[in-house]
Amino acid sequence: MTTTLSTPTGADLEPTTRRRRRRLGDRLLFAYTWLIILWLCVPIAVMILFGFNDTKGRYNTTFQGLTLKWYGRLFEIPALTDALANSLIIAVLNTLIAGTLGTLVGLALGRYRFRGDGTTNLVMFAVISAPELVMGASLLSLFVASGVGLGIPTILIAHVMFSISFVAVVVRSRVLTLDRYIEEAARDLGAGPWTAFRLVTFPMIFPAVLSGGLLAFVLSIDDFVITNFTAGTTQTFPLWIYGATRVGLPPQVNVMGTLIFAVGLLIAAGNVIAARRRPSSAR
Amino acid sequence: MTATIRTQAGQPTGPNRSDTPAIELVGVAKEYHSHGDVVAAVKGVDLAIGEGEFFSMLGPSGCGKTTTMRMIAGFEDPTRGSVFLHGEEVTGVAPNKRDVNMVFQSYALFPHMSVFENVAFGLKRKNVASPEIRQRVAEMLAIVDLTGREKRQPRELSGGQQQRVALARALVNRPRALLLDEPLGALDLKLRQHMQVELKRIQREVGVTFVYVTHDQNEALTMSDRIAVMNDGSIEHLGTPREIYEHPATKFVAGFIGTSNLLGGAVSALDNGRAVITFGPGERIVVPLPRNGVRPGQNLELTVRPEKIDITTAEPAAGDRSIVRGVVTEVVYLGTSTNYNVRTSAGSEVVVFDQNASNADFVAVRGDHVYLSWNPQHSYAIGDR
Ligand SMILES: Nc1ncnc2c1ncn2[C@@H]1O[C@H](COP(=O)(O)OP(=O)(O)OP(=O)(O)O)[C@@H](O)[C@H]1O
Ligand SMILES: [Mg+2]
């Protein structure tokens, strides 16, 4: 009798405690998630905030009230403006060149077996994992030895060199998931090799090309180490900031950083929306 | 070799018989080089497929069906031999310059295009005017029963619907031949049977030559005008479904198509174009002589289909029939028929399909001694190749 009576109570009690325990676990997980998000956002928030800092002195390190004036006086420091312009020019060219070449390498590695494909694959990963210092130093020796004057062209060559690998790896992994018969189907239906690529293969790998290109842009615009070795007297945005830290960073740097971040955010949002609207392109 | 001879003898039985075959392969062979080895995927295939014919290639996995088809479509170049389409040699011509279309096993629909864009793809490549494109796509979607789905993306369709889009995308170009590589392989049984009927109907309506690859023998038997049974890179037997089923040219074909009973023994006498094999008292097998002939004393193998054999407990009248004795080892009731497994006195396992009459009891139960008998015309001596 007792057993029959106690059974429902036990069965009733147990799930409650289990539920309570689970609720606690959920809460912890929730708190942990937000802690991480906060931690990741704090530096960015500080950067944005100090772009609005009404600082009077040379150092933009203590908050002295809100102002929008730095947005108005964004291009007041010519050297900084030039450095930013250089960085943007290099980043855009790098995106185009490394994006194109890297896509071709990724396509070749993902689709074809050819003499030296294993070596190419290895070199791609070697470049990604090689320390930047080593690459920068060796590029400097190379440029100096061959008598090339340092400047935007040498920076661009260096950036393209290390960005190609990232684009190639991203595109290659996408190509590997593609059904190669889809391109054959296009050929079968009367498309020449170029038309088949343009209308069928490229749209299918486009998300990867886009990610690869964005990666190339981001890697280029804030690269310091390799750029420092290959720039000569040319200034880029990161190089200028590094030089300026000794004398105090003007708030314009924060404003430029905020704007670059905002553009990046817009592109990312656009990417997500585009992917939602055409879900088939994600597969 | 037998296959080649048969091709010339048994002419295409397709509806629009014409002198130049739609597709002709002459001595086509394909070798792949992988890891230093040479893989002979196709070893010299000769065949001629008639205009409007429903031609199937049947065979076990890896026998070279897909490779053969890809050489017709132009995705692989033959190592040796030539491919002709409508009498014109196309060996080495790019796939987009060949007037044949292919339906891939994986469908290979363009995932970023709608159903309409998928089907219109080939017509756009030929610069067909857009009103005509719209009209032809609509017609074709009506044939494959997909009207109203034009705007869907392929991933929003069921497997069977995707299969039909793939079919429409190929057929809308009015190719002179359609190549289908196991197009129903990914579908479940019910949809598969439905699509078999649909495909046959579409082929009749459009009148296009179909080259159909499958490893489902029932599919090949029910749908085809002619079948090429392939094994290990060559054609073992080429003929109508009936010929292949009733007169399998080789042991392999006999074993591959349907259930086949293999019997054998030493020939004791020749009688009037037939070989006689005698066992114990009252047992004898009579079989028409094989093409290459046989001498008394030689061993001979033959096949009989399970449904051609009568099973009785009483000794049948001697007459002209082949008679073998045995013991029933298994009885399986299958609704419309009953299967008996019988071990003959010579030790062979024989399967018998017995059609179930309305109220008849089982002819025999396990352990019963029975007589198996059949008309010699229904058994065939097998060449060994
Ligand atoms: N690209 C290739 N490289 C090397 N060997 C290949 C290649 N393609 C096919 N083969 C080999 O050729 C033989 C025939 O292959 P094929 O694809 O034609 O077979 P199949 O009859 O279509 O088989 P399945 O029914 O499994 O599709 C196989 O042994 C296969 O391993
Ligand atoms: Mg195959």
Side-chain angles (χ1 to χ4, degrees):
Chain A
M1 262 321 201
T2 28
T3 34
T4 32
L5 268 176
S6 67
T7 313
T9 346
D12 210 40
L13 245 172
E14 223 192 18
T16 333
T17 41
R18 211 183 289 151
R19 207 178 300 144
R20 207 172 285 152
R21 208 175 299 147
R22 195 186 302 148
R23 214 181 290 150
L24 183 70
D26 280 353
R27 275 206 199 129
L28 275 177
L29 185 65
F30 182 77
Y32 176 70
T33 308
W34 276 102
L35 216 63
I36 295 279
I37 291 174
L38 208 69
W39 185 40
L40 291 175
C41 289
V42 161
I44 297 168
V46 168
M47 171 192 76
I48 295 173
L49 184 67
F50 278 79
F52 296 104
N53 187 10
D54 194 4
T55 180
K56 304 287 185 296
R58 206 184 180 123
Y59 296 97
N60 185 16
T61 47
T62 46
F63 199 72
Q64 294 165 352
L66 282 170
T67 177
L68 277 173
K69 70 177 174 200
W70 303 119
Y71 281 78
R73 294 159 62 180
L74 185 58
F75 299 119
E76 224 170 44
I77 310 165
L80 175 60
T81 309
D82 287 349
L84 182 67
N86 285 343
S87 273
L88 286 173
I89 290 169
I90 292 167
V92 167
L93 288 177
N94 178 55
T95 306
L96 295 177
I97 299 171
T100 310
L101 297 179
T103 300
L104 296 179
V105 173
L107 262 176
L109 285 177
R111 168 109 353 135
Y112 306 106
R113 317 257 82 224
F114 52 93
R115 188 173 293 211
D117 57 351
T119 318
T120 315
N121 218 350
L122 193 72
V123 168
M124 288 295 138
F125 281 101
V127 168
I128 288 176
S129 51
E132 278 198 87
L133 268 173
V134 177
M135 286 214 291
S138 58
L139 275 168
L140 178 61
S141 325
L142 176 71
F143 289 140
V144 170
S146 52
V148 184
L150 299 178
I152 289 183
T154 50
I155 300 174
L156 186 60
I157 289 171
H159 284 199
V160 167
M161 194 206 85
F162 70 73
S163 308
I164 278 186
S165 310
F166 287 92
V167 181
V169 166
V170 172
V171 172
R172 173 178 163 272
S173 58
R174 172 77 181 134
V175 170
L176 285 177
T177 66
L178 289 186
D179 178 0
R180 79 185 166 110
Y181 296 123
I182 295 179
E183 190 172 324
E184 287 192 354
R187 296 296 310 278
D188 187 61
L189 293 166
W194 169 245
T195 313
F197 176 77
R198 187 169 55 87
L199 295 178
V200 174
T201 311
F202 188 72
M204 287 194 296
I205 62 167
F206 183 68
V209 173
L210 201 68
S211 322
L214 281 176
L215 205 57
F217 186 88
V218 170
L219 287 171
S220 168
I221 202 149
D222 76 347
D223 180 75
F224 178 79
V225 179
I226 291 181
T227 311
N228 200 24
F229 278 105
T230 52
T233 55
T234 308
Q235 289 289 346
T236 66
F237 189 56
L239 293 189
W240 191 90
I241 292 174
Y242 182 73
T245 41
R246 272 163 290 167
V247 288
L249 279 185
Q252 277 91 341
V253 168
N254 295 58
V255 175
M256 284 178 182
T258 304
L259 292 177
I260 291 174
F261 176 69
V263 170
L265 216 57
L266 278 178
I267 293 175
N271 212 355
V272 169
I273 291 170
R276 277 226 187 113
R277 201 171 296 158
R278 278 180 308 143
S280 54
S281 64
R283 222 262 67 162
Chain B
M1 270 296 99
T2 22
T4 334
I5 296 160
R6 276 180 175 271
T7 320
Q8 259 92 55
Q11 274 303 303
T13 53
N16 320 317
R17 203 179 290 190
S18 93
D19 290 343
T20 34
I23 297 168
E24 195 173 5
L25 303 184
V26 182
V28 165
K30 177 72 189 179
E31 287 161 7
Y32 289 107
H33 298 263
S34 67
H35 309 289
D37 290 345
V38 176
V39 181
V42 175
K43 302 171 181 167
V45 164
D46 296 281
L47 54 82
I49 300 171
E51 193 82 49
E53 195 176 1
F54 196 121
F55 187 91
S56 289
M57 289 195 279
L58 180 64
S61 188
C63 68
K65 307 180 295 287
T66 298
T67 307
T68 306
M69 181 162 275
R70 289 173 61 80
M71 288 191 285
I72 299 174
F75 294 117
E76 309 283 354
D77 282 328
T79 314
R80 283 184 301 282
S82 319
V83 180
F84 296 86
L85 297 178
H86 301 277
E88 246 177 77
E89 172 146 20
V90 294
T91 323
V93 172
N96 49 319
K97 306 258 168 61
R98 297 191 186 194
D99 202 4
V100 295
N101 284 122
M102 186 146 169
V103 176
F104 293 81
Q105 177 164 14
S106 56
Y107 313 147
L109 297 178
F110 307 128
H112 55 294
M113 297 184 194
S114 66
V115 168
F116 178 89
E117 289 168 322
N118 263 282
V119 178
F121 190 90
L123 296 177
K124 281 189 186 148
R125 303 285 79 69
K126 287 184 193 149
N127 295 318
V128 176
S130 39
E132 192 188 334
I133 292 183
R134 246 172 286 136
Q135 187 209 333
R136 277 169 70 174
V137 170
E139 273 172 24
M140 197 39 78
L141 287 178
I143 290 182
V144 299
D145 202 15
L146 279 176
T147 307
R149 312 273 158 118
E150 290 85 352
K151 294 206 175 67
R152 296 279 189 93
Q153 299 276 319
R155 42 163 221 104
E156 297 170 321
L157 300 176
S158 72
Q161 290 169 333
Q162 290 184 21
Q163 202 279 331
R164 283 179 280 162
V165 175
L167 195 65
R169 183 177 69 173
L171 276 176
V172 77
N173 305 295
R174 299 182 187 149
R176 299 183 66 177
L178 192 68
L179 312 174
L180 303 101
D181 191 358
E182 294 191 39
L184 309 182
L187 305 182
D188 65 52
L189 184 66
K190 203 158 173 209
L191 194 52
R192 211 181 153 92
Q193 287 169 342
H194 175 71
M195 286 308 298
Q196 287 173 1
V197 177
E198 286 287 284
L199 272 179
K200 195 67 192 161
R201 171 183 67 83
I202 290 167
Q203 197 250 349
R204 246 195 330 269
E205 272 177 30
V206 188
V208 174
T209 312
F210 269 39
V211 183
Y212 193 91
V213 164
T214 178
H215 53 220
D216 179 337
Q217 41 148 321
N218 285 328
E219 201 166 287
L221 288 174
T222 54
M223 295 170 78
S224 322
D225 294 319
R226 282 191 311 156
I227 300 173
V229 182
M230 290 185 74
N231 183 30
D232 196 19
S234 20
I235 296 180
E236 294 244 342
H237 192 169
L238 196 155
T240 63
R242 204 187 179 89
E243 280 166 7
I244 285 186
Y245 186 77
E246 309 255 345
H247 301 242
T250 66
K251 203 159 146 181
F252 170 81
V253 178
F256 192 74
I257 309 278
T259 311
S260 201
N261 293 307
L262 216 51
L263 294 162
V267 176
S268 44
L270 297 184
D271 158 37
N272 197 12
R274 304 192 304 183
V276 181
I277 302 169
T278 45
F279 302 96
E283 284 187 273
R284 60 170 204 151
I285 296 175
V286 182
V287 61
L289 277 181
R291 263 191 308 275
N292 48 353
V294 69
R295 271 171 289 127
Q298 271 188 320
N299 262 323
L300 190 63
E301 279 192 306
L302 62 131
T303 69
V304 204
R305 294 290 178 187
E307 68 276 14
K308 305 287 190 198
I309 302 177
D310 284 339
I311 180 167
T312 48
T313 41
E315 183 167 359
D320 193 32
R321 295 170 74 81
S322 295
I323 299 172
V324 170
R325 288 200 309 205
V327 178
V328 176
T329 56
E330 200 70 68
V331 180
V332 180
Y333 178 70
L334 290 177
T336 54
S337 68
T338 305
N339 285 8
Y340 297 91
N341 287 20
V342 176
R343 182 186 302 277
T344 66
S345 55
S348 315
E349 284 289 345
V350 174
V351 181
V352 181
F353 295 164
D354 189 44
Q355 210 66 30
N356 286 335
S358 55
N359 54 1
D361 244 344
F362 291 143
V363 177
V365 295
R366 227 170 74 189
D368 278 1
H369 289 265
V370 290
Y371 292 89
L372 306 178
S373 63
W374 62 89
N375 182 338
Q377 295 306 325
H378 292 147
S379 60
Y380 298 93
I382 291 175
D384 262 343
R385 261 168 73 98

